[in-house]
Amino acid sequence: MAQGDTTDTGPQSAAPARSPKVGLFVTCLVDMFRPSIGFATLKLLEDAGCTVIVPAEQTCCGQPAFNSGDNKDTRAVAAQVIDAFEGVDYVVAPSGSCAGMIREHYPELFADDPSMAQRAQHIAKRTYELTSFLVDVLGVTRVDTSLDTTVTYHDSCSGLRELEVKAQPRRLLAGVKGLSLTELPGAEVCCGFGGTFCVKYPEISDKMVTNKAEEIVATGAETLLAGDLGCLLNMAGKLKRLGASTKVRHVAEVLAGMTDTPAIGDPASSVSGEER
């Protein structure tokens, strides 16, 4: 099968007792730069038997402000997110970074406010990164899709270190027919993006992403996958500037069989890696 040709009959999972109501947290980057990731996430969740809502009131998770020490504005953003996702069984994001922000840091933001602290803890306990939710909560064992390509995988820092997302995407990728995974030697090493880190320390960030890009090319893989768009944008931009032919995609696009959209950084893509 040629690269890009896909078939899909949905995830194979242990069906829950009832259809869980899932709130899809799209994330800022996905909404502005790569909506196809959001649609892929929606498809994976619905194929797994979820009833999915996408609250129009959602905005940023607040992480940029939080990482800059602006707790006042972070609390305002977090309160809006908590309001928007009231009443769902789970909150799922195609981003370990945003899911980690909600799950790990919302409770501490409202530690001095008893009423909000309870609500923050409630949403934190219900929030998951996409592949973790599919595997750990829904019991998805494989997705029936095909893609004839070789891939390598980058573990994004927040998903790996805050949410222990490591085996879950690999387990799902192992079931994609025709796909071969070559492990990246420095898979757990930061790509240098780090949100505001790449702005505050551009020289260090550039050295980190250069090292990462060289390792990616050395694997010989046709496609780089990861679970966070920030990391993917950073690595796609550097790969393009180095003249590498490696395609860059979010893991959800491959798992959902939605690879007709040009890869990140490709000329017809909604995101141009040349801009970074």
Side-chain angles (χ1 to χ4, degrees):
M1 180 178 294
Q3 184 171 348
D5 291 342
T6 60
T7 58
D8 185 277
T9 57
Q12 305 299 308
S13 63
R18 67 176 181 86
S19 176
K21 184 178 181 181
V22 173
L24 172 55
F25 188 81
V26 177
T27 84
C28 296
L29 290 181
V30 169
D31 186 39
M32 292 187 292
F33 295 113
R34 190 75 173 176
S36 58
I37 297 170
F39 289 114
T41 300
L42 176 64
K43 183 178 188 302
L44 287 166
L45 292 172
E46 289 185 337
D47 284 351
C50 300
T51 299
V52 184
I53 65 166
V54 187
E57 301 82 7
Q58 65 179 292
T59 59
C60 177
C61 68
Q63 188 178 79
F66 181 74
N67 288 346
S68 299
D70 183 0
N71 281 2
K72 179 181 178 181
D73 285 329
T74 306
R75 283 164 64 111
V77 172
Q80 184 176 10
V81 172
I82 292 171
D83 285 342
F85 287 90
E86 203 82 71
V88 299
D89 298 319
Y90 300 99
V91 179
V92 175
S95 164
S97 179
C98 297
M101 177 65 197
I102 298 171
R103 191 177 181 97
E104 298 297 314
H105 302 295
Y106 274 22
E108 67 182 83
L109 275 173
F110 297 102
D112 60 348
D113 183 337
S115 61
M116 281 302 297
Q118 185 175 10
R119 296 179 68 200
Q121 290 167 2
H122 183 54
I123 192 173
K125 292 176 181 177
R126 296 178 291 129
T127 298
Y128 290 86
E129 180 273 343
L130 172 63
T131 63
S132 174
F133 181 70
L134 292 173
V135 173
D136 301 331
V137 178
L138 296 185
V140 174
T141 56
R142 66 183 179 91
V143 289
D144 285 338
T145 190
S146 301
L147 184 63
D148 187 9
T149 190
T150 56
V151 305
T152 192
Y153 197 91
H154 166 73
D155 295 300
S156 301
C157 293
S158 294
L160 176 68
R161 293 171 175 83
E162 292 186 330
L163 304 178
E164 298 182 348
V165 176
K166 173 77 174 181
Q168 299 94 328
R170 289 167 173 81
R171 179 174 181 179
L172 294 173
L173 288 169
V176 177
K177 302 178 187 71
L179 184 144
S180 176
L181 172 66
T182 299
E183 285 292 351
L184 186 62
E188 296 186 359
V189 177
C190 179
C191 72
F193 177 63
T196 56
F197 174 85
C198 65
V199 178
K200 294 177 181 177
Y201 307 102
E203 295 85 2
I204 299 173
S205 175
D206 183 64
K207 176 60 176 173
M208 293 171 72
V209 74
T210 298
N211 292 344
K212 175 69 69 171
E214 290 172 348
E215 286 191 344
I216 292 165
V217 172
T219 66
E222 296 175 279
T223 305
L224 167 68
L225 302 178
D228 269 279
L229 184 54
C231 302
L232 289 165
L233 291 173
N234 189 39
M235 294 182 290
K238 177 54 70 174
L239 286 165
K240 286 295 180 183
R241 290 191 291 274
L242 292 177
S245 61
T246 313
K247 301 294 184 183
V248 180
R249 292 190 179 279
H250 192 283
V251 65
E253 296 174 308
V254 170
L255 294 176
M258 296 172 64
T259 56
D260 290 337
T261 302
I264 297 169
D266 278 4
S269 176
S270 59
V271 176
S272 173
E274 301 286 351
E275 295 175 1
R276 288 189 45 80

